[in-house]
PDB file of all heavy atoms in Angstrom:
ATOM      1  N   TYR J 391      76.833  93.674  98.486  1.00 97.00           N
ATOM      2  CA  TYR J 391      75.931  93.359  97.380  1.00 97.00           C
ATOM      3  C   TYR J 391      74.910  92.292  97.754  1.00 97.00           C
ATOM      4  O   TYR J 391      73.728  92.398  97.419  1.00 97.00           O
ATOM      5  CB  TYR J 391      76.743  92.921  96.161  1.00 97.00           C
ATOM      6  CG  TYR J 391      75.951  92.909  94.879  1.00 97.00           C
ATOM      7  CD1 TYR J 391      75.259  94.036  94.465  1.00 97.00           C
ATOM      8  CD2 TYR J 391      75.901  91.778  94.077  1.00 97.00           C
ATOM      9  CE1 TYR J 391      74.541  94.049  93.282  1.00 97.00           C
ATOM     10  CE2 TYR J 391      75.193  91.770  92.889  1.00 97.00           C
ATOM     11  CZ  TYR J 391      74.509  92.906  92.495  1.00 97.00           C
ATOM     12  OH  TYR J 391      73.788  92.914  91.332  1.00 97.00           O
ATOM     13  N   ASP J 392      75.322  91.266  98.443  1.00 98.00           N
ATOM     14  CA  ASP J 392      74.372  90.218  98.833  1.00 98.00           C
ATOM     15  C   ASP J 392      73.305  90.787  99.767  1.00 98.00           C
ATOM     16  O   ASP J 392      72.116  90.484  99.623  1.00 98.00           O
ATOM     17  CB  ASP J 392      75.095  89.071  99.529  1.00 98.00           C
ATOM     18  CG  ASP J 392      74.137  87.977  99.991  1.00 98.00           C
ATOM     19  OD1 ASP J 392      73.554  87.315  99.120  1.00 98.00           O
ATOM     20  OD2 ASP J 392      73.968  87.820 101.208  1.00 98.00           O
ATOM     21  N   GLN J 393      73.730  91.621 100.699  1.00 98.00           N
ATOM     22  CA  GLN J 393      72.779  92.218 101.630  1.00 98.00           C
ATOM     23  C   GLN J 393      71.819  93.157 100.903  1.00 98.00           C
ATOM     24  O   GLN J 393      70.622  93.221 101.233  1.00 98.00           O
ATOM     25  CB  GLN J 393      73.525  92.982 102.723  1.00 98.00           C
ATOM     26  CG  GLN J 393      74.263  92.107 103.723  1.00 98.00           C
ATOM     27  CD  GLN J 393      75.479  91.418 103.126  1.00 98.00           C
ATOM     28  OE1 GLN J 393      76.054  91.886 102.149  1.00 98.00           O
ATOM     29  NE2 GLN J 393      75.869  90.302 103.719  1.00 98.00           N
ATOM     30  N   LEU J 394      72.327  93.867  99.912  1.00 98.00           N
ATOM     31  CA  LEU J 394      71.488  94.757  99.125  1.00 98.00           C
ATOM     32  C   LEU J 394      70.371  93.974  98.421  1.00 98.00           C
ATOM     33  O   LEU J 394      69.209  94.393  98.407  1.00 98.00           O
ATOM     34  CB  LEU J 394      72.353  95.498  98.096  1.00 98.00           C
ATOM     35  CG  LEU J 394      71.670  96.508  97.185  1.00 98.00           C
ATOM     36  CD1 LEU J 394      71.126  97.673  97.992  1.00 98.00           C
ATOM     37  CD2 LEU J 394      72.652  97.000  96.132  1.00 98.00           C
ATOM     38  N   ILE J 395      70.746  92.837  97.843  1.00 98.00           N
ATOM     39  CA  ILE J 395      69.750  92.025  97.131  1.00 98.00           C
ATOM     40  C   ILE J 395      68.832  91.295  98.119  1.00 98.00           C
ATOM     41  O   ILE J 395      67.616  91.433  98.078  1.00 98.00           O
ATOM     42  CB  ILE J 395      70.450  91.006  96.217  1.00 98.00           C
ATOM     43  CG1 ILE J 395      71.228  91.712  95.100  1.00 98.00           C
ATOM     44  CG2 ILE J 395      69.429  90.041  95.614  1.00 98.00           C
ATOM     45  CD1 ILE J 395      72.071  90.790  94.245  1.00 98.00           C
ATOM     46  N   HIS J 396      69.437  90.522  99.004  1.00 97.00           N
ATOM     47  CA  HIS J 396      68.661  89.595  99.818  1.00 97.00           C
ATOM     48  C   HIS J 396      67.934  90.271 100.971  1.00 97.00           C
ATOM     49  O   HIS J 396      66.780  89.938 101.277  1.00 97.00           O
ATOM     50  CB  HIS J 396      69.587  88.508 100.366  1.00 97.00           C
ATOM     51  CG  HIS J 396      68.871  87.402 101.080  1.00 97.00           C
ATOM     52  ND1 HIS J 396      68.609  87.443 102.435  1.00 97.00           N
ATOM     53  CD2 HIS J 396      68.346  86.244 100.625  1.00 97.00           C
ATOM     54  CE1 HIS J 396      67.952  86.361 102.783  1.00 97.00           C
ATOM     55  NE2 HIS J 396      67.783  85.602 101.707  1.00 97.00           N
ATOM     56  N   ASP J 397      68.599  91.219 101.628  1.00 98.00           N
ATOM     57  CA  ASP J 397      68.045  91.780 102.857  1.00 98.00           C
ATOM     58  C   ASP J 397      67.247  93.060 102.648  1.00 98.00           C
ATOM     59  O   ASP J 397      66.527  93.484 103.551  1.00 98.00           O
ATOM     60  CB  ASP J 397      69.176  92.054 103.856  1.00 98.00           C
ATOM     61  CG  ASP J 397      69.915  90.782 104.242  1.00 98.00           C
ATOM     62  OD1 ASP J 397      69.316  89.700 104.113  1.00 98.00           O
ATOM     63  OD2 ASP J 397      71.082  90.870 104.656  1.00 98.00           O
ATOM     64  N   VAL J 398      67.390  93.698 101.476  1.00 98.00           N
ATOM     65  CA  VAL J 398      66.644  94.935 101.228  1.00 98.00           C
ATOM     66  C   VAL J 398      65.726  94.792 100.017  1.00 98.00           C
ATOM     67  O   VAL J 398      64.506  94.875 100.119  1.00 98.00           O
ATOM     68  CB  VAL J 398      67.593  96.138 101.063  1.00 98.00           C
ATOM     69  CG1 VAL J 398      66.822  97.388 100.659  1.00 98.00           C
ATOM     70  CG2 VAL J 398      68.346  96.405 102.369  1.00 98.00           C
ATOM     71  N   ALA J 399      66.312  94.550  98.829  1.00 98.00           N
ATOM     72  CA  ALA J 399      65.508  94.571  97.599  1.00 98.00           C
ATOM     73  C   ALA J 399      64.508  93.422  97.538  1.00 98.00           C
ATOM     74  O   ALA J 399      63.359  93.614  97.133  1.00 98.00           O
ATOM     75  CB  ALA J 399      66.425  94.536  96.381  1.00 98.00           C
ATOM     76  N   LEU J 400      64.924  92.230  97.917  1.00 98.00           N
ATOM     77  CA  LEU J 400      64.029  91.075  97.855  1.00 98.00           C
ATOM     78  C   LEU J 400      62.786  91.290  98.715  1.00 98.00           C
ATOM     79  O   LEU J 400      61.686  90.869  98.369  1.00 98.00           O
ATOM     80  CB  LEU J 400      64.776  89.819  98.298  1.00 98.00           C
ATOM     81  CG  LEU J 400      63.998  88.501  98.260  1.00 98.00           C
ATOM     82  CD1 LEU J 400      63.593  88.162  96.827  1.00 98.00           C
ATOM     83  CD2 LEU J 400      64.836  87.366  98.842  1.00 98.00           C
ATOM     84  N   GLN J 401      62.959  92.009  99.824  1.00 98.00           N
ATOM     85  CA  GLN J 401      61.838  92.292 100.716  1.00 98.00           C
ATOM     86  C   GLN J 401      61.190  93.642 100.438  1.00 98.00           C
ATOM     87  O   GLN J 401      60.278  94.054 101.140  1.00 98.00           O
ATOM     88  CB  GLN J 401      62.320  92.228 102.169  1.00 98.00           C
ATOM     89  CG  GLN J 401      62.984  90.900 102.516  1.00 98.00           C
ATOM     90  CD  GLN J 401      63.465  90.847 103.945  1.00 98.00           C
ATOM     91  OE1 GLN J 401      62.692  90.540 104.840  1.00 98.00           O
ATOM     92  NE2 GLN J 401      64.737  91.165 104.157  1.00 98.00           N
ATOM     93  N   ASN J 402      61.723  94.322  99.396  1.00 98.00           N
ATOM     94  CA  ASN J 402      61.195  95.620  98.968  1.00 98.00           C
ATOM     95  C   ASN J 402      61.113  96.604 100.136  1.00 98.00           C
ATOM     96  O   ASN J 402      60.114  97.301 100.326  1.00 98.00           O
ATOM     97  CB  ASN J 402      59.815  95.470  98.318  1.00 98.00           C
ATOM     98  CG  ASN J 402      59.472  96.651  97.419  1.00 98.00           C
ATOM     99  OD1 ASN J 402      60.351  97.317  96.877  1.00 98.00           O
ATOM    100  ND2 ASN J 402      58.186  96.934  97.270  1.00 98.00           N
ATOM    101  N   LEU J 403      62.196  96.693 100.896  1.00 98.00           N
ATOM    102  CA  LEU J 403      62.227  97.557 102.072  1.00 98.00           C
ATOM    103  C   LEU J 403      62.566  98.990 101.687  1.00 98.00           C
ATOM    104  O   LEU J 403      63.308  99.242 100.731  1.00 98.00           O
ATOM    105  CB  LEU J 403      63.234  97.025 103.087  1.00 98.00           C
ATOM    106  CG  LEU J 403      62.892  95.654 103.684  1.00 98.00           C
ATOM    107  CD1 LEU J 403      63.976  95.182 104.627  1.00 98.00           C
ATOM    108  CD2 LEU J 403      61.544  95.701 104.397  1.00 98.00           C
ATOM    109  N   ASP J 404      62.035  99.907 102.457  1.00 98.00           N
ATOM    110  CA  ASP J 404      62.136 101.337 102.164  1.00 98.00           C
ATOM    111  C   ASP J 404      63.462 101.882 102.687  1.00 98.00           C
ATOM    112  O   ASP J 404      63.550 102.415 103.802  1.00 98.00           O
ATOM    113  CB  ASP J 404      60.960 102.062 102.821  1.00 98.00           C
ATOM    114  CG  ASP J 404      60.871 103.518 102.377  1.00 98.00           C
ATOM    115  OD1 ASP J 404      61.717 103.959 101.585  1.00 98.00           O
ATOM    116  OD2 ASP J 404      59.947 104.212 102.846  1.00 98.00           O
ATOM    117  N   VAL J 405      64.512 101.734 101.872  1.00 98.00           N
ATOM    118  CA  VAL J 405      65.854 102.211 102.229  1.00 98.00           C
ATOM    119  C   VAL J 405      66.362 103.105 101.107  1.00 98.00           C
ATOM    120  O   VAL J 405      66.274 102.743  99.925  1.00 98.00           O
ATOM    121  CB  VAL J 405      66.835 101.034 102.445  1.00 98.00           C
ATOM    122  CG1 VAL J 405      68.223 101.564 102.804  1.00 98.00           C
ATOM    123  CG2 VAL J 405      66.319 100.098 103.531  1.00 98.00           C
TER     124      VAL J 405
END
Side-chain angles (χ1 to χ4, degrees):
Y391 195 54
D392 178 67
Q393 289 70 25
L394 181 65
I395 295 174
H396 187 270
D397 299 337
V398 174
L400 182 63
Q401 304 180 84
N402 201 27
L403 295 177
D404 189 359
V405 180

